[in-house]
Amino acid sequence: MQSLTSSCGECVSFCMFNGFGSATVMKIAVIGPGALGCLLAASLGAANEIWLLDRDPERARQIGNQGIILDENGKRLNVRVNVSANSSNVPEVDLVLLCVKSASVSSAINAWMSVVTKGRPLLIALQNGIAHLDILPVAMPGRWALGVTAQGATLAGPGVVMHRGNGPTRIGFPSGVTISEEERIQLQRAAAVLSASGIATETTDDILVHVWNKLLINVGINALTAIHDCPNGRLLDSPGILKTMQDAVLEGAAVAEALGIRIDRNPVARTIEVCRATAANVSSMLQDVRRRRKTEIEAINGAVVTKGVKTGVAVPVNEELVRKVKGIEGGFH
Ligand code: KPL
Protein backbone atom coordinates (compact mmCIF):
# COMPACT_ATOMS: atom_id res chain seq x y z
CA MET A 1 0.00 0.00 0.00
CA GLN A 2 1.31 3.46 -0.85
CA SER A 3 1.07 6.51 1.33
CA LEU A 4 -1.11 9.40 0.33
CA THR A 5 0.03 12.75 1.59
CA SER A 6 -1.67 16.11 1.25
CA SER A 7 0.43 19.10 0.17
CA CYS A 8 0.69 20.30 3.79
CA GLY A 9 2.46 17.05 4.70
CA GLU A 10 -0.38 15.55 6.72
CA CYS A 11 -0.48 11.79 6.22
CA VAL A 12 -3.78 10.12 5.50
CA SER A 13 -4.23 6.38 5.38
CA PHE A 14 -7.18 4.55 3.96
CA CYS A 15 -8.68 1.12 4.41
CA MET A 16 -10.89 0.41 1.41
CA PHE A 17 -13.57 -2.22 1.12
CA ASN A 18 -13.63 -4.25 -2.05
CA GLY A 19 -17.40 -4.55 -2.25
CA PHE A 20 -17.26 -8.24 -1.33
CA GLY A 21 -17.30 -7.67 2.41
CA SER A 22 -13.59 -7.46 3.16
CA ALA A 23 -10.83 -4.95 2.71
CA THR A 24 -8.17 -6.16 0.30
CA VAL A 25 -5.04 -4.73 -1.18
CA MET A 26 -4.78 -5.45 -4.89
CA LYS A 27 -1.60 -5.45 -6.93
CA ILE A 28 -2.36 -3.32 -9.95
CA ALA A 29 -0.19 -2.44 -12.94
CA VAL A 30 -1.07 0.81 -14.71
CA ILE A 31 0.58 0.94 -18.13
CA GLY A 32 1.16 4.47 -19.38
CA PRO A 33 1.91 7.59 -17.27
CA GLY A 34 -0.44 9.91 -19.21
CA ALA A 35 -3.27 11.89 -17.63
CA LEU A 36 -5.60 8.91 -17.15
CA GLY A 37 -2.81 6.53 -16.09
CA CYS A 38 -1.56 8.97 -13.44
CA LEU A 39 -5.11 9.72 -12.23
CA LEU A 40 -5.93 6.02 -11.82
CA ALA A 41 -2.56 5.15 -10.29
CA ALA A 42 -2.86 8.00 -7.76
CA SER A 43 -6.50 7.25 -6.90
CA LEU A 44 -5.89 3.51 -6.48
CA GLY A 45 -2.54 4.07 -4.78
CA ALA A 46 -4.08 5.12 -1.48
CA ALA A 47 -5.18 1.56 -0.72
CA ASN A 48 -3.45 -0.75 -3.19
CA GLU A 49 -0.01 -1.76 -4.40
CA ILE A 50 0.44 0.12 -7.66
CA TRP A 51 3.03 -0.38 -10.36
CA LEU A 52 3.02 2.51 -12.82
CA LEU A 53 4.82 1.30 -15.94
CA ASP A 54 6.62 3.77 -18.16
CA ARG A 55 8.92 2.81 -21.02
CA ASP A 56 10.89 6.05 -20.61
CA PRO A 57 13.46 5.25 -17.85
CA GLU A 58 14.30 8.90 -17.18
CA ARG A 59 10.67 9.90 -16.68
CA ALA A 60 10.01 6.73 -14.65
CA ARG A 61 12.85 7.73 -12.31
CA GLN A 62 11.50 11.27 -12.00
CA ILE A 63 7.94 10.13 -11.18
CA GLY A 64 9.31 7.48 -8.81
CA ASN A 65 11.30 10.14 -6.93
CA GLN A 66 8.65 12.87 -6.78
CA GLY A 67 5.53 10.65 -6.62
CA ILE A 68 2.36 11.43 -8.57
CA ILE A 69 1.07 14.93 -7.89
CA LEU A 70 -2.70 14.90 -8.13
CA ASP A 71 -4.42 18.27 -8.24
CA GLU A 72 -8.03 17.90 -7.10
CA ASN A 73 -9.54 21.33 -7.82
CA GLY A 74 -6.60 23.17 -6.32
CA LYS A 75 -5.88 20.71 -3.49
CA ARG A 76 -2.58 18.98 -4.22
CA LEU A 77 -1.96 15.40 -3.12
CA ASN A 78 1.33 13.61 -3.44
CA VAL A 79 0.92 9.87 -3.94
CA ARG A 80 3.90 7.54 -3.85
CA VAL A 81 3.63 4.52 -6.15
CA ASN A 82 6.13 2.06 -7.56
CA VAL A 83 7.26 3.25 -10.99
CA SER A 84 9.18 0.98 -13.30
CA ALA A 85 10.62 1.01 -16.80
CA ASN A 86 11.64 -2.61 -16.56
CA SER A 87 9.20 -5.53 -16.56
CA SER A 88 11.58 -7.79 -14.64
CA ASN A 89 11.11 -5.60 -11.51
CA VAL A 90 7.34 -5.96 -11.54
CA PRO A 91 5.70 -8.68 -9.40
CA GLU A 92 2.72 -10.76 -10.47
CA VAL A 93 -0.33 -8.44 -10.44
CA ASP A 94 -4.10 -8.99 -10.12
CA LEU A 95 -5.19 -6.33 -12.58
CA VAL A 96 -3.67 -4.40 -15.49
CA LEU A 97 -5.06 -1.04 -16.60
CA LEU A 98 -3.84 -0.24 -20.10
CA CYS A 99 -3.83 3.55 -20.35
CA VAL A 100 -1.63 4.21 -23.40
CA LYS A 101 -2.90 5.90 -26.56
CA SER A 102 -4.48 3.55 -29.06
CA ALA A 103 -1.54 3.81 -31.50
CA SER A 104 0.71 2.39 -28.73
CA VAL A 105 -1.52 -0.51 -27.62
CA SER A 106 0.33 -3.17 -29.57
CA SER A 107 3.86 -2.02 -28.68
CA ALA A 108 2.92 -1.50 -24.99
CA ILE A 109 1.52 -5.04 -24.69
CA ASN A 110 4.67 -6.39 -26.32
CA ALA A 111 6.95 -4.37 -24.06
CA TRP A 112 5.10 -5.49 -20.91
CA MET A 113 4.24 -9.02 -22.08
CA SER A 114 5.42 -10.73 -18.88
CA VAL A 115 3.33 -8.35 -16.73
CA VAL A 116 0.13 -8.87 -18.74
CA THR A 117 0.49 -12.66 -18.79
CA LYS A 118 2.12 -13.66 -15.45
CA GLY A 119 -0.66 -15.05 -13.19
CA ARG A 120 -3.28 -14.25 -15.87
CA PRO A 121 -4.41 -10.85 -14.56
CA LEU A 122 -7.43 -9.21 -16.16
CA LEU A 123 -6.36 -6.45 -18.57
CA ILE A 124 -8.73 -3.53 -19.04
CA ALA A 125 -8.04 -1.35 -22.07
CA LEU A 126 -9.06 2.31 -21.69
CA GLN A 127 -8.43 4.03 -25.01
CA ASN A 128 -10.24 6.76 -26.91
CA GLY A 129 -11.79 5.83 -30.23
CA ILE A 130 -12.26 2.33 -31.62
CA ALA A 131 -8.94 1.47 -33.32
CA HIS A 132 -7.89 -0.64 -30.30
CA LEU A 133 -10.88 -2.96 -30.81
CA ASP A 134 -9.15 -4.42 -33.86
CA ILE A 135 -5.66 -4.36 -32.31
CA LEU A 136 -6.37 -6.11 -28.98
CA PRO A 137 -7.47 -9.50 -30.35
CA VAL A 138 -4.16 -9.76 -32.24
CA ALA A 139 -1.82 -8.21 -29.65
CA MET A 140 -3.16 -9.60 -26.38
CA PRO A 141 -2.74 -13.32 -25.66
CA GLY A 142 -5.00 -13.46 -22.57
CA ARG A 143 -8.51 -12.27 -21.76
CA TRP A 144 -9.11 -8.52 -21.95
CA ALA A 145 -11.95 -6.19 -21.17
CA LEU A 146 -12.73 -2.66 -22.31
CA GLY A 147 -13.24 0.46 -20.26
CA VAL A 148 -14.87 3.78 -21.06
CA THR A 149 -14.45 6.65 -18.66
CA ALA A 150 -15.88 10.13 -18.34
CA GLN A 151 -13.16 11.16 -15.89
CA GLY A 152 -11.60 14.44 -16.95
CA ALA A 153 -7.85 14.74 -16.40
CA THR A 154 -5.05 16.79 -17.91
CA LEU A 155 -1.34 16.20 -17.58
CA ALA A 156 0.54 19.32 -16.47
CA GLY A 157 4.01 17.70 -16.50
CA PRO A 158 5.58 14.28 -15.84
CA GLY A 159 3.48 12.67 -13.10
CA VAL A 160 1.50 15.87 -12.48
CA VAL A 161 -2.21 15.46 -13.18
CA MET A 162 -5.09 17.90 -12.88
CA HIS A 163 -8.36 16.10 -12.08
CA ARG A 164 -11.17 18.27 -13.43
CA GLY A 165 -14.20 16.05 -14.12
CA ASN A 166 -15.76 13.13 -12.32
CA GLY A 167 -18.05 11.10 -14.59
CA PRO A 168 -18.94 7.40 -14.63
CA THR A 169 -16.56 4.65 -15.73
CA ARG A 170 -17.88 1.45 -17.31
CA ILE A 171 -16.01 -1.77 -17.86
CA GLY A 172 -17.06 -4.95 -19.63
CA PHE A 173 -16.10 -7.80 -21.92
CA PRO A 174 -16.85 -7.36 -25.61
CA SER A 175 -19.89 -9.38 -26.67
CA GLY A 176 -19.45 -12.66 -28.51
CA VAL A 177 -16.68 -14.08 -26.30
CA THR A 178 -17.20 -16.80 -23.68
CA ILE A 179 -16.38 -15.52 -20.22
CA SER A 180 -15.54 -17.83 -17.34
CA GLU A 181 -16.94 -17.32 -13.84
CA GLU A 182 -13.42 -16.45 -12.64
CA GLU A 183 -13.10 -13.73 -15.31
CA ARG A 184 -16.51 -12.32 -14.38
CA ILE A 185 -15.37 -12.11 -10.73
CA GLN A 186 -12.12 -10.44 -11.82
CA LEU A 187 -14.17 -7.78 -13.62
CA GLN A 188 -16.43 -7.21 -10.60
CA ARG A 189 -13.40 -6.91 -8.32
CA ALA A 190 -11.90 -4.35 -10.69
CA ALA A 191 -15.12 -2.28 -10.58
CA ALA A 192 -15.20 -2.56 -6.78
CA VAL A 193 -11.58 -1.49 -6.26
CA LEU A 194 -11.92 1.45 -8.67
CA SER A 195 -15.16 2.60 -7.03
CA ALA A 196 -13.63 2.30 -3.57
CA SER A 197 -10.85 4.58 -4.80
CA GLY A 198 -13.25 7.31 -5.90
CA ILE A 199 -13.50 6.29 -9.57
CA ALA A 200 -17.20 5.29 -9.69
CA THR A 201 -17.22 2.21 -11.92
CA GLU A 202 -19.88 -0.24 -13.01
CA THR A 203 -19.70 -3.40 -15.07
CA THR A 204 -21.79 -3.67 -18.21
CA ASP A 205 -22.74 -6.32 -20.79
CA ASP A 206 -22.96 -3.59 -23.42
CA ILE A 207 -19.48 -2.12 -23.37
CA LEU A 208 -19.34 -1.72 -27.17
CA VAL A 209 -22.38 0.54 -27.05
CA HIS A 210 -20.60 2.72 -24.46
CA VAL A 211 -17.39 2.72 -26.52
CA TRP A 212 -19.36 3.91 -29.58
CA ASN A 213 -21.36 6.51 -27.63
CA LYS A 214 -18.09 7.99 -26.37
CA LEU A 215 -16.54 7.69 -29.84
CA LEU A 216 -19.34 9.80 -31.35
CA ILE A 217 -18.79 12.52 -28.75
CA ASN A 218 -15.08 12.57 -29.58
CA VAL A 219 -15.90 12.53 -33.32
CA GLY A 220 -17.94 15.70 -32.86
CA ILE A 221 -15.60 17.58 -30.52
CA ASN A 222 -11.93 16.61 -30.71
CA ALA A 223 -10.95 17.30 -34.33
CA LEU A 224 -12.92 20.55 -34.43
CA THR A 225 -11.21 21.89 -31.29
CA ALA A 226 -7.83 20.96 -32.80
CA ILE A 227 -8.66 22.68 -36.11
CA HIS A 228 -10.09 25.83 -34.52
CA ASP A 229 -7.64 25.87 -31.58
CA CYS A 230 -10.36 26.44 -29.00
CA PRO A 231 -11.75 24.90 -25.81
CA ASN A 232 -14.75 22.58 -26.19
CA GLY A 233 -17.45 25.13 -25.32
CA ARG A 234 -16.40 27.62 -28.03
CA LEU A 235 -17.48 25.15 -30.74
CA LEU A 236 -21.08 26.00 -29.88
CA ASP A 237 -20.60 29.71 -30.66
CA SER A 238 -20.39 29.27 -34.44
CA PRO A 239 -23.36 27.95 -36.47
CA GLY A 240 -20.96 26.72 -39.18
CA ILE A 241 -18.84 24.70 -36.74
CA LEU A 242 -21.98 23.40 -35.05
CA LYS A 243 -23.27 22.14 -38.42
CA THR A 244 -19.98 20.34 -39.10
CA MET A 245 -20.14 18.80 -35.61
CA GLN A 246 -23.68 17.59 -36.23
CA ASP A 247 -22.84 16.15 -39.67
CA ALA A 248 -19.71 14.36 -38.39
CA VAL A 249 -21.65 12.78 -35.50
CA LEU A 250 -24.55 11.75 -37.76
CA GLU A 251 -22.14 10.08 -40.19
CA GLY A 252 -20.63 8.14 -37.26
CA ALA A 253 -24.12 7.20 -36.05
CA ALA A 254 -25.00 5.90 -39.54
CA VAL A 255 -21.85 3.74 -39.50
CA ALA A 256 -22.76 2.40 -36.04
CA GLU A 257 -26.22 1.56 -37.28
CA ALA A 258 -24.77 -0.24 -40.33
CA LEU A 259 -22.63 -2.29 -37.91
CA GLY A 260 -25.69 -3.12 -35.76
CA ILE A 261 -24.51 -1.15 -32.70
CA ARG A 262 -27.39 0.32 -30.66
CA ILE A 263 -25.98 3.76 -29.86
CA ASP A 264 -27.74 6.61 -27.97
CA ARG A 265 -30.90 7.79 -29.72
CA ASN A 266 -29.77 11.39 -30.00
CA PRO A 267 -25.97 11.47 -30.30
CA VAL A 268 -25.89 15.08 -31.55
CA ALA A 269 -27.76 16.38 -28.49
CA ARG A 270 -25.47 14.29 -26.27
CA THR A 271 -22.37 15.75 -27.95
CA ILE A 272 -23.65 19.31 -27.47
CA GLU A 273 -24.43 18.50 -23.83
CA VAL A 274 -20.86 17.23 -23.27
CA CYS A 275 -19.51 20.32 -25.04
CA ARG A 276 -21.42 22.51 -22.57
CA ALA A 277 -20.47 20.37 -19.54
CA THR A 278 -16.78 20.50 -20.51
CA ALA A 279 -16.87 24.03 -21.96
CA ALA A 280 -13.55 25.13 -20.48
CA ASN A 281 -11.75 21.86 -21.32
CA VAL A 282 -8.93 21.71 -23.80
CA SER A 283 -9.72 18.43 -25.60
CA SER A 284 -7.15 15.66 -25.59
CA MET A 285 -6.60 16.22 -29.33
CA LEU A 286 -5.97 19.93 -28.94
CA GLN A 287 -3.58 19.16 -26.05
CA ASP A 288 -1.66 16.87 -28.42
CA VAL A 289 -1.57 19.53 -31.14
CA ARG A 290 -0.34 22.17 -28.70
CA ARG A 291 2.45 19.80 -27.62
CA ARG A 292 3.15 19.04 -31.30
CA ARG A 293 2.46 15.36 -30.70
CA LYS A 294 0.73 12.87 -33.00
CA THR A 295 -3.01 12.98 -32.31
CA GLU A 296 -5.61 10.21 -32.04
CA ILE A 297 -7.35 11.32 -35.25
CA GLU A 298 -6.86 7.84 -36.79
CA ALA A 299 -8.57 6.12 -33.85
CA ILE A 300 -11.50 8.58 -33.81
CA ASN A 301 -12.63 10.21 -37.09
CA GLY A 302 -10.20 8.02 -39.08
CA ALA A 303 -11.84 4.89 -37.68
CA VAL A 304 -15.28 6.18 -38.68
CA VAL A 305 -13.92 6.66 -42.21
CA THR A 306 -12.46 3.13 -42.30
CA LYS A 307 -15.69 1.54 -41.03
CA GLY A 308 -17.73 3.80 -43.35
CA VAL A 309 -15.82 2.51 -46.36
CA LYS A 310 -16.32 -1.10 -45.15
CA THR A 311 -20.07 -0.68 -44.62
CA GLY A 312 -20.71 1.52 -47.66
CA VAL A 313 -21.77 4.54 -45.57
CA ALA A 314 -20.70 7.93 -46.99
CA VAL A 315 -18.49 9.84 -44.51
CA PRO A 316 -17.27 12.99 -46.35
CA VAL A 317 -17.29 15.26 -43.27
CA ASN A 318 -15.14 12.85 -41.27
CA GLU A 319 -12.80 12.47 -44.27
CA GLU A 320 -12.38 16.24 -44.34
CA LEU A 321 -11.73 16.44 -40.57
CA VAL A 322 -9.08 13.71 -40.87
CA ARG A 323 -7.44 15.54 -43.78
CA LYS A 324 -7.32 18.83 -41.85
CA VAL A 325 -5.92 17.34 -38.62
CA LYS A 326 -3.31 15.38 -40.57
CA GLY A 327 -2.40 18.65 -42.28
CA ILE A 328 -1.81 20.19 -38.84
CA GLU A 329 0.30 17.18 -37.79
CA GLY A 330 2.28 17.51 -41.04
CA GLY A 331 3.46 20.92 -39.86
CA PHE A 332 5.09 19.47 -36.71
CA HIS A 333 8.26 18.32 -38.50
O1 KPL B 1 -13.02 12.98 -24.17
C1 KPL B 1 -12.78 14.12 -24.41
C2 KPL B 1 -11.41 14.43 -24.92
O2 KPL B 1 -10.96 15.56 -24.80
O3 KPL B 1 -10.77 13.48 -25.42
C3 KPL B 1 -13.86 15.17 -24.31
C4 KPL B 1 -15.17 14.53 -23.91
C5 KPL B 1 -14.03 15.87 -25.63
C6 KPL B 1 -13.57 16.16 -23.22
O4 KPL B 1 -12.59 17.07 -23.54
Side-chain angles (χ1 to χ4, degrees), residues 5 24 41 54 78 82 120 131 136 140 166 191 251 258 260 272 323:
T5 321
T24 55
D54 182 357
N78 185 289
N82 303 294
R120 307 193 335 140
L136 282 161
M140 182 58 201
N166 215 332
E251 285 180 6
I272 291 172
R323 203 183 54 71

Side-chain angles (χ1 to χ4, degrees), residues 133-299:
L133 303 185
D134 293 331
I135 299 168
L136 282 161
V138 182
M140 182 58 201
R143 176 68 67 226
W144 47 273
L146 297 167
V148 179
T149 185
Q151 290 292 334
T154 307
L155 206 62
V160 182
V161 63
M162 324 294 276
H163 188 198
R164 291 294 180 262
N166 215 332
T169 297
R170 296 188 175 93
I171 56 177
F173 294 107
S175 46
V177 291
T178 311
I179 304 303
S180 70
E181 191 49 27
E182 187 196 337
E183 286 160 349
R184 223 173 272 290
I185 290 171
Q186 279 181 311
L187 190 74
Q188 285 168 2
R189 281 192 73 203
V193 78
L194 282 160
S195 296
S197 302
I199 307 290
T201 303
E202 52 190 54
T203 62
T204 173
D205 293 332
D206 260 345
I207 192 69
L208 281 182
V209 171
H210 294 289
V211 169
W212 271 81
N213 282 337
K214 172 94 192 292
L215 169 74
L216 295 186
I217 290 166
N218 292 133
V219 158
I221 297 178
N222 292 31
L224 283 169
T225 57
I227 292 162
H228 296 284
D229 189 24
C230 66
N232 298 352
R234 289 284 302 282
L235 297 178
L236 304 176
D237 296 345
S238 153
I241 295 176
L242 201 52
K243 170 86 171 75
T244 307
M245 175 193 289
Q246 172 178 335
D247 291 347
V249 172
L250 289 177
E251 285 180 6
V255 172
E257 200 186 328
L259 290 169
I261 295 164
R262 294 176 299 103
I263 48 148
D264 264 0
R265 256 192 290 147
N266 198 338
V268 172
R270 182 88 189 98
T271 305
I272 291 172
E273 204 180 291
V274 171
C275 237
R276 279 208 187 96
T278 62
N281 253 44
V282 173
S283 79
S284 54
M285 196 171 290
L286 180 53
Q287 288 179 46
D288 285 338
V289 165
R290 287 185 176 168
R291 290 197 194 109
R292 301 175 76 77
R293 279 197 329 219
K294 199 166 156 32
T295 72
E296 294 192 294
I297 189 72
E298 285 292 3

Side-chain angles (χ1 to χ4, degrees), residues 292-328:
R292 301 175 76 77
R293 279 197 329 219
K294 199 166 156 32
T295 72
E296 294 192 294
I297 189 72
E298 285 292 3
I300 301 175
N301 307 79
V304 168
V305 171
T306 307
K307 300 285 181 198
V309 170
K310 271 201 186 128
T311 52
V313 174
V315 286
V317 175
N318 279 283
E319 280 169 348
E320 182 65 4
L321 291 174
V322 172
R323 203 183 54 71
K324 286 191 170 151
V325 173
K326 287 200 163 171
I328 295 173

Side-chain angles (χ1 to χ4, degrees), residues 31-33 53-56 59 85 87 96 98-116 123 127 131-132 134-141 294:
I31 303 181
L53 307 184
D54 182 357
R55 281 190 283 170
D56 177 337
R59 188 175 52 198
S87 57
V96 178
L98 184 62
C99 298
V100 297
K101 297 216 170 195
S102 70
S104 304
V105 162
S106 187
S107 59
I109 289 175
N110 261 326
W112 302 105
M113 188 55 82
S114 65
V115 178
V116 305
L123 177 138
Q127 278 68 44
H132 59 299
D134 293 331
I135 299 168
L136 282 161
V138 182
M140 182 58 201
K294 199 166 156 32

Side-chain angles (χ1 to χ4, degrees), residues 30 50-57 60-61 64 81-91 112:
V30 179
I50 303 301
W51 287 82
L52 179 61
L53 307 184
D54 182 357
R55 281 190 283 170
D56 177 337
R61 197 168 312 115
V81 300
N82 303 294
V83 188
S84 180
N86 182 350
S87 57
S88 59
N89 297 337
V90 185
W112 302 105

